[in-house]
Amino acid sequence: MDFDALTQCLSSAPCLVTQFTSGLVIGLLMFLTASGLTLVFGVLGIANFAHGAFYMLGAYMAYTVYTRTESYLLALAAAAVFTAACGIVFERWVVRPLKEADVMMQLVACFALVLIIDDVAKLIWGPAAISLGVPISMRVPPMQFQGGVVPVFYLVLMAISAGFGLAIWWLITRTQFGLTMRAVAELPSMASALGKNVNRYASAVLALGCGLAGVAGALAAPMRAILPGTGFSILLESFVVVVIGGMGSIPGALVAALLLGFTRSFGSIGFPLFTEGLMFLFMVTVLVLRPQGLFARTARTH
């Protein structure tokens, strides 16, 4: 532990700006990943244990498209479309047959899928870690604010992540699709009786959730190494965010992700050897004080 370094950073404008920006980027990327997981749970009541694998696929797809086109926007779009399509297949052939099964059966099936995807990734991209690197169009001098360094790529990541967050909020709260989706989540039997195709909405939700994971993977690819098995650590991070924020709560996921982002950013200075431990300590504290999470969601009615 280095309290002196943390105190000096908090009293220094350049360090404060740099670490705050880093924490904001980490938090928004964690939110983008976890929002897909909590969305699927909130609507379908299913914990997608394979969620991290779609993050990994999004990163790999972005790498593949970018190395061939040098267009980062095209790489993001390809990652989103590819993982969304994988989500539709996942819902039809894994989630739907096991929807009423015991949660342990769902866990085993998802775990098996993760291992299969990891091996497929090894066959296509190899077992070694690869890196996309900062896109060429964004390799410009960083901005300066109060003496702190703010990479332009960080600003782009924050803008895109925030944009997706607003789009999710708008889709869920301001569109007919979102209203119907919430009706399917709260009263699936009644929605089905009224003629709503519950399976179609389930497929759309899985596509959206997996697509968000894929976009998060593509956004993080320039900053993180891409390799088989990445999905496990990302899944763990996402579940921490979802548990702290409240299962099924998008606003809760945002608040929890930002808190964890700042915990990791500033914790790396004051607690360099205990940064990950801080995140889990935070989660345990929240669960002890508020077991349902920061933003409780009402129970589903069948």
Side-chain angles (χ1 to χ4, degrees):
M1 294 182 288
D2 194 344
F3 290 107
D4 289 338
L6 181 59
T7 302
Q8 291 175 9
C9 179
L10 293 176
S11 60
S12 168
C15 182
L16 198 59
V17 169
T18 300
Q19 295 306 117
F20 181 84
T21 303
S22 177
L24 196 57
V25 170
I26 294 171
L28 286 174
L29 288 177
M30 290 175 73
F31 162 69
L32 196 58
T33 309
S35 61
L37 183 63
T38 198
L39 179 66
V40 170
F41 180 84
V43 176
L44 304 181
I46 294 175
N48 179 12
F49 297 103
H51 191 71
F54 296 100
Y55 172 100
M56 182 189 72
L57 287 176
Y60 272 122
M61 180 54 63
Y63 171 84
T64 301
V65 173
Y66 180 75
T67 53
R68 286 164 173 74
T69 65
E70 293 189 351
S71 171
Y72 190 55
L73 288 179
L74 187 59
L76 285 177
V81 172
F82 176 68
T83 50
C86 290
I88 294 174
V89 175
F90 174 59
E91 190 280 330
R92 178 63 184 86
W93 297 104
V94 179
V95 174
R96 193 180 303 179
L98 296 175
K99 187 175 182 180
E100 303 300 330
D102 182 82
V103 66
M104 187 58 65
M105 293 296 294
Q106 298 174 7
L107 173 60
V108 171
C110 289
F111 185 69
L113 181 64
V114 169
L115 295 179
I116 293 171
I117 292 176
D118 280 349
D119 280 352
V120 170
K122 291 177 184 177
L123 290 174
I124 298 176
W125 292 282
I130 56 179
S131 177
L132 189 150
V134 176
I136 295 176
S137 60
M138 299 176 196
R139 294 176 187 174
V140 295
M143 298 180 63
Q144 299 283 335
F145 181 75
Q146 295 293 316
V149 178
V150 182
V152 173
F153 184 58
Y154 276 20
L155 297 177
V156 173
L157 289 183
M158 287 189 284
I160 295 176
S161 299
F164 270 101
L166 288 174
I168 297 169
W169 172 83
W170 177 80
L171 178 68
I172 295 175
T173 63
R174 294 291 186 269
T175 66
Q176 184 61 44
F177 173 80
L179 292 174
T180 305
M181 186 174 67
R182 283 186 288 164
V184 170
E186 299 298 334
L187 298 167
S189 299
M190 184 176 292
S192 180
L194 292 175
K196 301 299 181 181
N197 191 325
V198 176
N199 286 333
R200 183 177 299 173
Y201 276 92
S203 184
V205 169
L206 255 300
L208 180 59
C210 294
L212 288 172
V215 169
L219 288 174
M223 301 186 300
R224 284 185 168 184
I226 311 170
L227 71 163
T230 305
F232 283 109
S233 61
I234 297 302
L235 176 66
L236 190 57
E237 283 184 2
S238 299
F239 266 109
V240 171
V241 172
V242 171
V243 168
I244 292 176
M247 298 294 283
S249 172
I250 296 294
L254 175 59
V255 173
L258 291 177
L259 289 174
L260 288 174
F262 293 133
T263 297
R264 173 172 288 180
S265 177
F266 288 97
S268 64
I269 296 178
F271 306 88
L273 302 179
F274 193 64
T275 306
E276 297 296 324
L278 279 177
M279 294 175 56
F280 291 103
L281 181 61
F282 183 29
M283 181 186 72
V284 171
T285 302
V286 170
L287 291 180
V288 169
L289 298 176
R290 189 175 173 82
Q292 69 271 39
L294 297 177
F295 291 73
R297 188 181 180 279
T298 56
R300 291 162 54 95
T301 304
H302 295 274

